[in-house]
Amino acid sequence: DIQMTQSPSSVSASVGDRVTITCRASQGISSWLAWYQQKPGKAPKLLIYDASSLQSGVPSRFSGSGSGTDFTLTISSLQPEDFATYYCQQANSFPLTFGGGTKVEIK
Amino acid sequence: EVQLVQSGAEVKKPGEPLKISCEVSGYRFSRYWIGWVRQMPGKGLEWMGIIYPGDSETRYSPAFQGQVTVSADKSNSTAYLQWSSLKASDTAMYYCARRLVPHDVFDIWGQGTMVTVSS
């Protein structure tokens, strides 16, 4: 199985801050990576697929980059509604696997 | 509007069987894979398996192979996740979600079904 490691596990930030979350795959996955946002008590929401493609309806302050084993999710200017937990997911091979999550908290 | 609506919360005893459902609307059910994802209390997401309702082809994560069964009924556009004998460790939130091929991501999610297994 491909292991996905996210860092940091949590980050404290203020509204307007730039936030970057990292995801590392245990082996190369090309650009087969997605990012999801999950708010408490809610289902995950797809933000980014194919490492850098923005899902329809997702604000442009979210962006993704990377290929191979190292990927990043960037929120350019954090908004109040962005406080949530973010997960990466590799889409290269079965079984599909998720990172452990990064909680973005209010500073 | 594309929607996946899951069945309600369940409280069961160890050893009991269970089948939860995921009813799809707003698109042609047989054309998209449906996946199931587990989230244990306070923990992350785990992919369990997927099914293609068009021909009922299934794929399972090795961690869940033999532990659960995924099925689908085209006549009522509903996917199912079932256990023959629940364990306390099956206590979790279970999500169904629509799989996008070839991206292999999940673009539409159900609201989740909480399963509690306790004696």
Side-chain angles (χ1 to χ4, degrees), chain B residues 6-78:
Chain B
Q6 298 185 232
S7 49
E10 302 274 1
V11 179
K12 292 288 191 180
K13 292 185 175 4
E16 290 186 335
L18 177 64
K19 191 173 190 178
I20 62 174
S21 65
C22 171
E23 185 177 2
V24 161
S25 61
Y27 72 90
R28 191 160 172 179
F29 179 62
S30 59
R31 292 271 181 93
Y32 289 82
W33 293 78
I34 293 286
W36 289 92
V37 174
R38 182 175 80 173
Q39 187 167 38
M40 299 177 79
K43 301 298 184 183
L45 305 170
E46 301 172 271
W47 175 74
M48 302 175 72
I50 50 173
I51 186 165
Y52 186 69
D55 60 7
S56 293
E57 180 182 350
T58 54
R59 297 288 300 269
Y60 290 93
S61 165
F64 292 94
Q65 179 84 49
Q67 308 304 307
V68 297
T69 301
V70 173
S71 61
D73 186 341
K74 288 188 287 187
S75 69
N76 59 10
S77 299
T78 301

Side-chain angles (χ1 to χ4, degrees), chain A residues 1 32 34 36 38 42-46 49-50 55 87 89 91 94-96 98 100, chain B residues 37 39 43-47 50 59 61-62 95 99 102-107 109-110:
Chain A
D1 298 5
W32 297 111
Y36 299 86
Q38 187 179 34
K42 299 295 187 182
K45 173 186 173 183
L46 178 65
Y49 62 94
D50 295 352
Q55 174 68 352
Y87 294 93
Q89 177 232 312
F94 290 125
L96 305 178
F98 293 88
Chain B
V37 174
Q39 187 167 38
K43 301 298 184 183
L45 305 170
E46 301 172 271
W47 175 74
I50 50 173
R59 297 288 300 269
S61 165
Y95 293 101
R99 175 194 180 204
H103 314 285
D104 245 328
V105 298
F106 298 104
D107 67 333
W109 292 66

Side-chain angles (χ1 to χ4, degrees), chain A residues 10 14 19 27 30 36 53 57 60 66 68 72 77-78 83-84 91 95 101 105-107:
Chain A
S10 67
S14 301
V19 173
Q27 64 189 73
S30 186
Y36 299 86
S53 296
S60 59
T72 58
S77 177
L78 199 64
F83 292 96
E105 300 175 297
I106 301 172
K107 195 172 197 176

